[in-house]
Amino acid sequence: MDEQPEILNHNTETVPRLYRRVRPQAKYARSLELLHQIRLMAPEGVTKTGIMVGLGETWDEILHVMEDLRAVDVDILTIGQYLQPSRFHLPIERYYTPAEFASLHETG
């Protein structure tokens, strides 16, 4: 933070229930705490995070993550459709429609 980046990003990636499967080396609470600490260290800075959808999360779980991120004062959230990069990666559980993304945008 001494370098005062314009935007500091740390991807949250997914909802808490899927963390073990999607990010086995990470912990959801640790990601939230990191984003919170960044805010405390640089109150005027911009924080950003992103999540992927299509991995089996529910709509309510996405909204819960959005609420958690707002609670730690994240400025920017990106939500993208997960696309399986190879047959060795997690499968896509579902595709979200443009209307669903628009609804998440409006909620945000």
Side-chain angles (χ1 to χ4, degrees):
M1 294 311 296
D2 290 341
E3 298 302 320
Q4 299 178 349
E6 286 184 42
I7 299 174
L8 194 122
N9 182 74
H10 172 75
N11 283 333
T12 305
E13 302 290 359
T14 191
V15 301
R17 179 177 56 84
L18 299 177
Y19 243 70
R20 245 188 138 93
R21 194 172 111 211
V22 175
R23 297 189 71 196
Q25 302 299 321
K27 293 185 181 345
Y28 180 77
R30 190 179 329 160
S31 288
L32 287 179
E33 181 59 25
L34 174 64
L35 291 162
H36 177 68
Q37 289 301 317
I38 290 165
R39 170 59 63 219
L40 295 176
M41 292 170 62
E44 301 304 317
V46 176
T47 55
K48 176 188 172 292
T49 192
I51 63 169
M52 301 176 290
V53 294
L55 290 159
E57 67 288 322
T58 67
W59 191 261
D60 285 342
E61 286 175 317
I62 296 169
L63 297 180
H64 180 78
V65 169
M66 292 172 73
E67 290 169 2
D68 286 348
L69 294 170
R70 187 67 257 156
V72 295
D73 205 18
V74 170
D75 296 299
I76 300 168
L77 169 62
T78 59
I79 302 175
Q81 173 67 51
Y82 172 72
L83 299 173
Q84 185 180 15
S86 77
R87 63 185 175 95
F88 302 107
H89 290 82
L90 294 171
I92 298 169
E93 297 288 327
R94 78 178 283 254
Y95 288 97
Y96 283 75
T97 66
E100 288 172 312
F101 278 104
S103 178
L104 290 170
H105 180 265
E106 182 65 28
T107 299

